[in-house]
């Protein structure tokens, strides 16, 4: 495809000019769920020396942009600011929309944009090492003395965790009759000077009732209206009442309700801004769900203590940097890590490692300054609503996936490499994939009280070719013996599935592992085994004394035995074990038993609890070495004892 010449009108000066747009300019329109389509002007505004937002800009003859993005782009779109109300939509549907996240892997709004381009082969600046060294030492200029020697990197989260300079994203649906509308108003000339910007961002706007701006200095928020596909961004927001907001600046862009593409590759707000850089950097925040899933698959944004003064790096619209040194990076500039750097070998914290892998492939972008540290922007918990658990707090999905460690101070800034200012390369060549995928198993419970054993696995492929197939294997230890050789089920060799169900045997233990092979043929290592022991039912034990046989669905395998007799006992066939667990019913009048293997006393179990609880596994202490012999369970009280089964763990 050759060079395209287009006649247009330069914004603000009213004269016709010929703009050379370069090759491969896409000028596709977004169709709104509410009807109408986007119609923004592609090209370069020579009067302002900037590139219009909202299209797939590709520089002519170079990968360097002609300038920053324009603050406003001519917009003749016909998309309505609010959707027509659909009376068939329900309150439950609205709840589902409002609690969804545009940053979740399955609903990521910025797919197929600059946020997901592979930059591993992008050009680096000759002075990348100097910039990396400068950045490594930058926070010390701004931090108090007690932090200056060691603190470099932090996080913006909000909700009481980290800094508060990230932008909460709220999702709404103006077509739902249950959707609340709030009135947004401004007198700021950054908005009122532009009729289209004012018309779209002021007046009634769909927003969840719980919406509030960030508590950081920018007091910003973003709202995605699934009814129209319009995403609005606001800066300097004050919530005056439950249904009214004032704001200082604002912005908007168009989506089809599910994705920003196809006509906004650079994530530029069509008009206005809700941050200094003026792009939708909230869509490069690190999502809670993707962290819970174990990988970040897009560019990440980070705020810096400051940036280079007077330099704006495309796709940014503006800069408020104050640094004058030659090695200072610019707002909007992209950084990465060496493509051949073994990130797993760096010993990073879980979150730093996850971020570093994303930066290596997709890059990081300087989105603002904070006069503090480099701070990665994480998804704000405010967006999900007051009833939702904070995924970053103790017990939350992201927090748990990170083992409770949200630290990022060890991020390797000294290894960063920096792309040229204004780099606008659309697609970089994908380097050869020589990195094997890394498989993982969903952990099995130590004890399993059914014969069917669901097993799941997954893998990530940092090399880029993608996971192609999996192999799965397992070992089995019978009641009275150790583990045998690996078993390789035919159906789980070279499989594309990620789950199966094993059929277990009572009293046996199973240890499962998997490996992955990517599309380039790289074979990964076998995972660490995950193991589960299937309980031996009470009916497999011989009984001495008075025991009552129970049958009920509340018990494992539908049965249990009980007694109140002192000295009554149960005995199994010979076992070989490192640790035993009893499956019991606990209650407020529960009794006690002693457990031995052969002639060796193993421990004592109390079956007492404040209320009746069935199928409780009570573990005895781990043995110093494997013991072999029959297990004897003897009551040591006249309180009620209910035995449901026994779990046998083996030497692995």
């Amino acid at each position: 495809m050759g060079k395209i010449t287009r006649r247009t009108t330069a914004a603000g000066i009213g004269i016709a000019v010929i703009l050379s747009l370069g090759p491969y300019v896409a000028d596709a329109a977004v169709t709104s769920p509410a009807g109408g389509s986007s119609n923004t002007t592609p090209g370069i505004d020579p009067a302002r020396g900037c590139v219009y937002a909202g299209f797939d800009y590709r520089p002519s003859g170079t990968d360097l942009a002609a300038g920053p993005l324009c603050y406003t782009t001519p917009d003749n779109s016909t998309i309505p600011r609010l959707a027509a109300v659909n009376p068939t939509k329900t309150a439950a549907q609205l709840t589902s929309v409002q609690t969804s996240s545009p940053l979740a892997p399955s609903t990521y709004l910025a797919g197929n944009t600059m946020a997901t381009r592979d930059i591993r082969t992008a050009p680096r600046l000759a002075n990348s090492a100097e910039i990396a060294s400068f950045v490594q030492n930058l926070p010390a200029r701004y931090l108090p003395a007690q932090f200056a020697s060691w603190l470099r990197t932090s996080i913006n989260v909000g909700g009481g965790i980290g800094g508060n300079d990230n932008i909460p994203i709220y999702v709404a649906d103006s077509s739902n009759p249950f959707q609340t509308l709030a009135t947004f108003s401004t007198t700021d000339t950054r908005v009122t000077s532009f009729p289209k910007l004012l018309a779209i961002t002021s007046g009634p706007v769909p927003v969840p009732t719980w919406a509030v701006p960030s508590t950081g200095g920018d007091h910003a928020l973003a709202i995605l209206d699934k009814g129209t596909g319009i995403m609005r961004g606001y800066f300097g927001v004050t919530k005056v009442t439950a249904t009214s907001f004032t704001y200082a600046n604002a912005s908007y862009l168009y989506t089809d309700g599910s994705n920003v593409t196809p006509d906004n590759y650079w994530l530029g707000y069509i008009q206005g801004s809700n941050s200094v850089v003026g792009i939708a950097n909230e869509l490069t925040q690190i999502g809670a769900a993707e962290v819970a899933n174990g990988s970040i698959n897009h560019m990440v944004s980070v705020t810096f203590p400051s940036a280079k003064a007077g330099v704006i790096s495309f796709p940014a619209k503006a800069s408020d940097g104050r640094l004058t040194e030659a090695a200072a990076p610019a707002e909007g500039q992209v950084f990465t890590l060496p493509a051949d750097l073994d990130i797993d070998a760096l010993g990073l914290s879980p979150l730093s490692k996850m971020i570093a892998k994303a930066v290596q492939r997709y890059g990081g972008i300087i989105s603002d300054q904070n006069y503090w540290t480099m701070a990665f922007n994480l998804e704000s918990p405010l967006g999900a609503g007051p009833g939702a658990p904070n995924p970053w707090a103790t017990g939350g999905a992201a927090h748990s996936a990170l083992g409770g460690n949200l630290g990022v101070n060890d991020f390797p800034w000294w290894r960063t490499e920096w792309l040229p200012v204004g780099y606008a390369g659309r697609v970089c060549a994908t380097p050869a994939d020589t990195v094997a995928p890394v498989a993982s198993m969903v952990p099995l419970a130590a004890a399993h009280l059914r014969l069917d054993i669901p097993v799941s696995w997954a893998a990530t492929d940092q090399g880029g070719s993608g996971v192609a197939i999996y192999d799965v294997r397992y070992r089995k230890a019978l009641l009275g013996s150790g583990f045998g050789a690996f078993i390789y089920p035919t159906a789980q060799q070279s499989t594309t599935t990620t789950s199966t169900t094993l059929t277990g045997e009572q009293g046996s233990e199973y240890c499962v592992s998997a490996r992955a092979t990517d599309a380039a043929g790289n074979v990964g290592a076998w995972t660490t085994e995950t193991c589960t022991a299937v309980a031996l039912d009470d009916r497999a034990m011989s009984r001495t004394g008075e025991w009552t046989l129970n049958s009920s669905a509340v018990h494992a395998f539908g049965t249990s035995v009980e007694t109140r007799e002192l000295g009554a006992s149960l005995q199994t066939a010979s076992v070989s074990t490192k640790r035993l667990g009893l499956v019991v019913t606990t209650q407020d009048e529960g009794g006690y038993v002693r457990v031995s293997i052969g002639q060796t006393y193993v421990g004592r179990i109390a079956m007492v609890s404040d209320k009746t609880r069935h199928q409780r596994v009570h573990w005895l202490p781990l043995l110093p070495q494997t013991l072999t012999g029959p297990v004897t369970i003897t009551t040591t009280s006249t309180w009620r004892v209910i035995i449901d089964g026994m779990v046998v763990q083996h030497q692995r």
Side-chain angles (χ1 to χ4, degrees), residues 218-235:
D218 287 354
H219 297 285
L221 59 81
I223 306 166
L224 171 63
D225 178 6
K226 300 282 279 189
T228 62
I230 297 174
M231 181 169 168
R232 297 169 170 91
Y234 293 92
F235 169 86

Side-chain angles (χ1 to χ4, degrees), residues 177 222 285 431 434 453 513 522-523 554 561 581 589 642:
Q285 295 176 154
T434 60
I453 307 171
S513 55
N522 300 302
V523 181
V554 301
V561 293
E589 58 174 13
I642 301 177

Side-chain angles (χ1 to χ4, degrees), residues 43 67 69 85 115 219 225 265 281 314 317 373 394 415 452 464-465 472 481 510 526 531 561 583 587 616 636:
L69 284 180
V85 173
H219 297 285
D225 178 6
Y265 182 80
N281 58 67
F314 178 90
K317 291 184 176 184
T373 65
T394 302
R415 295 301 305 271
D452 58 305
S465 64
V472 181
S481 62
Y510 299 82
W526 289 100
C531 302
V561 293
V583 186
Q587 55 199 303
R616 313 301 289 183
T636 59

Side-chain angles (χ1 to χ4, degrees), residues 92-116:
Q93 289 174 317
L94 180 62
T95 298
S96 177
V97 167
Q98 291 190 145
T99 55
S100 65
S101 168
L103 299 177
S106 61
T107 54
Y108 184 50
L109 194 66
N112 300 315
T113 69
M114 73 163 187
T116 55

Side-chain angles (χ1 to χ4, degrees), residues 447-453 502-508 510 532-541 549-561 581-585 614-617 643-648:
H448 198 70
L449 307 184
R450 303 187 310 275
L451 295 181
D452 58 305
I453 307 171
L502 301 180
T503 300
E505 181 180 339
Q506 288 188 18
S508 297
Y510 299 82
T532 189
V534 178
L536 180 72
D537 191 33
D538 60 274
R539 295 297 195 266
M541 306 176 192
L549 306 185
N550 299 323
S551 296
S552 172
V554 301
H555 302 303
F557 305 112
T559 67
S560 70
V561 293
L582 290 189
V583 186
V584 303
T585 295
H614 301 290
Q615 301 187 40
R616 313 301 289 183
V617 179
I643 304 292
D644 207 347
M646 183 180 72
V647 182
V648 181

